[in-house]
Amino acid sequence: GAGVSQTPSNKVTEKGKYVELRCDPISGHTALYWYRQSLGQGPEFLIYFQGTGAADDSGLPNDRFFAVRPEGSVSTLKIQRTERGDSAVYLCASSQLGAVTDTQYFGPGTRLTVL
Amino acid sequence: AQSVSQHNHHVILSEAASLELGCNYSYGGTVNLFWYVQYPGQHLQLLLKYFSGDPLVKGIKGFEAEFIKSKFSFNLRKPSVQWSDTAEYFCAVNAWRTGANNLFFGTGTRLTVIP
């Protein structure tokens, strides 16, 4: 596609529920990143994939958060037992090769609200 | 750990005024520096980036930024702003270490340009 797409655009769930957020990167981009942006803050890194493998998951806040990218393209961020503090905009970005000099292209984000 | 500071939270300017947004980072090693912009209702877009060479970097829409290594700064400038520059501006840095090319963002500066 022309850009990074994310679905759903909005997700409202109840505390304790499980959610999945999807990211479709730019076609051909090998690197994929997830960030989280809370109100009034800048994006905060969660996890980075190079191909199918998670090259760096140091930003995941705890073991309720998990992400996969089984075929090296689409990625899913999974959050178990959601908490109100998980409410944020979840951003996905992709870059061509994952080099430090690559530009990261961002999607529109998924706004997650945990009631 | 890397961190990025943007001291101006909200800047209000009249059209044709000059703009300078501050960005300071903390990291002693080699860094790459970025400015991203988020227009109302749109996703994050890259304005400009610095990797090496000339410390004065020119980006899209007449924006430029200057890397001053001794001050750990990468301030964004534009000589004459337009109403269409109303947006949120984020400074970001990534540090050169193995396997880590995720971006660290500042908290953002909201720019409002009054016609």
Side-chain angles (χ1 to χ4, degrees):
Chain A
V4 178
S5 62
Q6 294 185 245
T7 54
S9 56
N10 281 284
K11 176 70 177 178
V12 180
T13 190
E14 294 179 342
K15 179 184 172 184
K17 299 291 187 182
Y18 168 84
V19 297
E20 289 189 350
L21 311 179
R22 177 188 168 106
C23 171
D24 276 276
I26 293 172
S27 179
H29 280 194
T30 61
L32 185 147
Y33 312 79
W34 283 99
Y35 294 82
R36 176 170 70 173
Q37 186 172 15
S38 301
L39 195 61
Q41 302 295 317
E44 176 189 21
F45 169 73
L46 296 176
I47 187 169
Y48 152 57
F49 286 90
Q50 183 61 262
T52 60
D56 184 354
D57 64 358
S58 62
L60 294 177
N62 51 59
D63 61 6
R64 295 186 299 106
F65 288 75
F66 189 71
V68 295
R69 195 186 185 199
E71 298 178 357
S73 177
V74 170
S75 176
T76 305
L77 178 66
K78 308 180 181 194
I79 310 174
Q80 299 177 322
R81 304 182 305 279
T82 52
E83 300 177 356
R84 291 196 180 87
D86 299 335
S87 295
V89 176
Y90 288 81
L91 298 170
C92 178
S94 70
S95 69
Q96 190 163 14
L97 296 173
V100 293
T101 53
D102 280 356
T103 295
Q104 294 184 25
Y105 296 89
F106 283 81
T110 293
R111 182 176 298 278
L112 175 66
T113 304
V114 182
L115 301 176
Chain B
Q2 299 84 6
S3 68
V4 179
S5 298
Q6 293 182 246
H7 307 294
N8 312 106
H9 297 294
H10 189 192
V11 173
I12 302 173
L13 295 173
S14 298
E15 273 194 316
S18 64
L19 170 72
E20 181 160 3
L21 301 182
C23 173
N24 288 90
Y25 65 92
S26 65
Y27 183 71
T30 304
V31 293
N32 300 313
L33 298 155
F34 306 78
W35 275 96
Y36 278 82
V37 61
Q38 188 166 26
Y39 298 103
Q42 296 187 28
H43 54 272
L44 280 166
Q45 301 171 41
L46 181 70
L47 264 183
L48 48 79
K49 59 185 179 182
Y50 170 81
F51 297 139
S52 63
D54 187 345
L56 185 62
V57 179
K58 295 192 184 297
I60 61 171
K61 304 187 179 185
F63 285 91
E64 64 178 32
E66 184 175 13
F67 170 51
I68 303 179
K69 188 175 181 180
S70 61
K71 295 185 177 180
F72 296 89
S73 71
F74 190 56
N75 292 355
L76 181 71
R77 300 194 293 246
K78 185 171 184 178
S80 176
V81 295
Q82 301 172 308
W83 176 78
S84 58
D85 294 324
T86 295
E88 185 132 23
Y89 293 80
F90 292 93
C91 182
V93 60
N94 69 22
W96 286 47
R97 62 183 174 92
T98 301
N101 58 357
N102 51 284
L103 297 171
F104 291 88
F105 284 85
T107 53
T109 297
R110 184 156 61 102
L111 172 66
T112 301
V113 180
I114 302 169

